Amino acid sequence: MSMDQIERFRLSDQYQTLKSSVHRHLIAQIEDRKLDIYTWPADKVERFVAEQVKRYVLEQRLPVNQRESEALIADSRNELLGFGPIQSLVDDDTVNDIVVNGPHNVFIERGGKLYSAPVRFNDDNHVIRVIQRILAPLGRRVDESTPMVDARLPDGSRVNAIIPPIALDGPCLSIRKFKKVPLTAEDLLKSGSITQPELDYLKRKVETRTNLIVVGGTGSGKTTFLNLLSSWIPSGERIVTVEDAAELRLRHNHVVRLETRPPNLEGQRAISARDLVRNALRMRPDRIIVGEVRSDEVLDMLQAMNTGHDGSMTTLHANNVRDAMHRIELLAGFAGYTGGEKTLRGQIAAAIQLVVHVSRLSSGQRRVMSISELRGLEGSELVMHNVFRYEPESGIVVPQEAA
């Protein structure tokens, strides 16, 4: 039986029914024999599942061949201890994102493009059971009273789940996987995401404590690029990071990592990014790195950049550099800024010296689109200068004279 036939077999209703029956059999055996398999070593669990599945197939006289039996053993183990049908996708290092749109529609992102995954769930309850298993070790839950949840797996992967009645077509799960090994400058050069002159320029700017922001859309690689930039911070500097979900991996001896906290079940005791940025200012940092500015912490980040914490960095959702500047002004308004427009732009110009725009192209490739210097105000307008600009039509990076 070929791999395609196995995948079709796994997607069939017949197989889903069989897998559910085997899972119930395994649970019954564990409960009847009072087994604590969660404390067993992996090889012992593997043997137990294989023995029980083979015994069940023989006792029920099921028409299952060797390849189908191996698939059933692997899936039964994943149902018992892992994340069910998506465990193989979680284990696949080439998969960047896993998206579950109800029980029968599972997609993955690989190489910047979405593909349908050859797995499925039995029904809505099956999806919710896997979601609960993902969230349980994290101390989080999702139910009708709290139908949406954001969480982070121990390896740093981000998880979002939303269930009915909010999700009309069944429970949805999104996992943005965290790379085990951060991308290096060599990786980005090899993939064509950046050129050597751009890398050299950015490295020099990081080492000379230039305040910068990385802007781009969802999935454009902002955090990945921020990780790269932070790797060039000289050793010996004290760095404080602030994130909603701790994704940055700084290979420095002197790093303090802070993470926001959502409200509890009573809607209280939340710790926001603004709270953490304010606290970071009191922790004697040389640099502050905010994973993403998305709310009222923008004013405190600008203050940090303006008050001796040179070389601080952050990311921002925006389609281009100009939109990023406008979004900072908008967020400042949401944060309660009541001063004049020119005064705010003066603060922005004094705080931010460099803007790196990254984007995901139609091919799925992530690319540095421009590196721009913010050169102050001309009248009441911010003056931007492209040091490097990527032209998608020609695929050429156009360098320009830097100040």
Side-chain angles (χ1 to χ4, degrees):
M1 179 177 282
S2 68
M3 290 302 297
D4 286 344
Q5 289 174 313
I6 285 290
E7 288 180 357
R8 286 196 294 272
F9 174 64
R10 275 175 154 156
L11 291 172
S12 68
D13 290 336
Q14 174 191 0
Y15 179 73
Q16 297 300 317
T17 302
L18 172 60
K19 189 171 66 173
S20 295
S21 299
V22 171
H23 182 67
R24 287 194 295 270
H25 169 74
L26 287 171
I27 295 298
Q29 289 294 312
I30 292 168
E31 291 178 347
D32 290 347
R33 295 158 62 177
K34 296 182 173 57
L35 303 176
D36 188 8
I37 67 167
Y38 299 101
T39 62
W40 291 1
D43 58 340
K44 185 176 180 180
V45 174
E46 188 83 32
R47 288 195 303 271
F48 170 76
V49 172
E51 290 169 2
Q52 291 299 322
V53 169
K54 290 175 182 177
R55 180 180 299 173
Y56 184 81
V57 168
L58 288 173
E59 289 176 352
Q60 300 297 318
R61 298 182 179 180
L62 301 174
V64 177
N65 62 33
Q66 180 66 26
R67 293 289 296 275
E68 292 171 343
S69 178
E70 290 172 357
L72 188 58
I73 290 169
D75 290 346
S76 296
R77 182 190 63 243
N78 292 336
E79 287 292 339
L80 200 61
L81 297 177
F83 298 156
I86 62 171
Q87 183 62 50
S88 60
L89 306 178
V90 172
D91 294 337
D92 188 343
D93 290 338
T94 67
V95 173
N96 300 318
D97 288 81
I98 303 167
V99 183
V100 179
N101 301 338
H104 306 309
N105 295 297
V106 181
F107 298 88
I108 58 172
E109 184 203 283
R110 182 182 280 129
K113 290 192 172 183
L114 279 176
Y115 301 92
S116 178
V119 299
R120 57 166 281 193
F121 292 82
N122 296 339
D123 49 31
D124 286 359
N125 289 333
H126 190 190
V127 183
I128 292 175
R129 189 166 71 242
V130 169
I131 291 173
Q132 300 286 20
R133 182 171 296 162
I134 292 172
L135 297 178
L138 310 177
R140 308 293 299 278
R141 70 172 193 174
V142 62
D143 51 35
E144 285 193 7
S145 61
T146 53
M148 298 183 295
V149 67
D150 269 310
R152 176 175 56 84
L153 296 180
D155 69 352
S157 298
R158 284 184 290 179
V159 177
N160 177 271
I162 182 167
I163 66 172
I166 305 300
L168 301 181
D169 298 320
C172 297
L173 173 67
S174 303
I175 301 176
R176 171 157 291 181
K177 291 174 62 180
F178 196 71
K179 287 188 176 295
K180 294 181 175 66
V181 180
L183 289 177
T184 63
E186 290 72 26
D187 294 328
L188 297 180
L189 283 171
K190 188 182 297 184
S191 66
S193 297
I194 196 169
T195 62
Q196 189 65 56
E198 291 173 295
L199 272 175
D200 294 340
Y201 174 82
L202 288 171
K203 185 176 182 180
R204 187 168 67 251
K205 289 296 184 180
V206 171
E207 291 174 344
T208 55
R209 300 177 64 87
T210 299
N211 291 332
L212 60 85
I213 64 172
V214 180
V215 305
T218 300
S220 59
K222 297 185 298 297
T223 302
T224 297
F225 205 77
L226 190 63
N227 246 327
L228 173 65
L229 294 172
S230 66
S231 70
W232 295 326
I233 296 174
S235 60
E237 295 190 20
R238 177 173 166 83
I239 306 165
V240 179
T241 68
V242 174
E243 300 177 83
D244 280 330
E247 295 178 285
L248 295 171
R249 283 196 247 179
L250 278 64
R251 298 177 179 179
H252 290 75
N253 294 327
H254 208 160
V255 178
V256 179
R257 302 167 71 217
L258 307 179
E259 188 177 60
T260 60
R261 185 176 71 186
N264 58 21
L265 296 178
E266 290 74 38
Q268 300 174 342
R269 298 187 178 180
I271 304 295
S272 69
R274 187 172 198 180
D275 297 328
L276 294 180
V277 173
R278 285 176 170 175
N279 192 77
L281 291 170
R282 306 184 184 103
M283 297 176 69
R284 198 238 166 252
D286 291 307
R287 306 190 194 215
I288 295 175
I289 300 179
V290 178
E292 182 183 342
V293 167
R294 63 178 72 187
S295 187
D296 52 7
E297 68 272 11
V298 65
L299 289 179
D300 300 278
M301 187 67 200
L302 291 176
Q303 179 188 347
M305 290 177 164
N306 268 321
T307 55
H309 303 94
D310 295 336
S312 293
M313 311 174 192
T314 188
T315 71
L316 182 77
H317 266 83
N319 292 326
N320 54 55
V321 175
R322 285 289 173 189
D323 284 354
M325 298 301 103
H326 294 152
R327 183 142 193 265
I328 289 174
E329 294 178 28
L330 185 65
L331 291 176
F334 291 157
Y337 177 79
T338 57
E341 181 180 85
K342 185 175 181 179
T343 302
L344 176 59
R345 290 179 179 174
Q347 289 279 355
I348 295 172
I352 301 169
Q353 285 98 48
L354 203 66
V355 184
V356 182
H357 174 212
V358 296
S359 182
R360 182 162 58 179
L361 307 179
S362 57
S363 64
Q365 180 193 20
R366 292 171 172 86
R367 184 75 179 68
V368 174
M369 303 304 291
S370 68
I371 301 173
S372 306
E373 291 180 346
L374 185 49
R375 294 185 170 178
L377 287 179
E378 193 172 277
S380 60
E381 296 298 319
L382 292 166
V383 178
M384 306 296 301
H385 171 75
N386 284 334
V387 183
F388 295 93
R389 187 182 74 255
Y390 176 73
E391 295 184 346
E393 296 81 10
S394 62
I396 296 174
V397 175
V398 181
Q400 298 182 27
E401 183 80 22

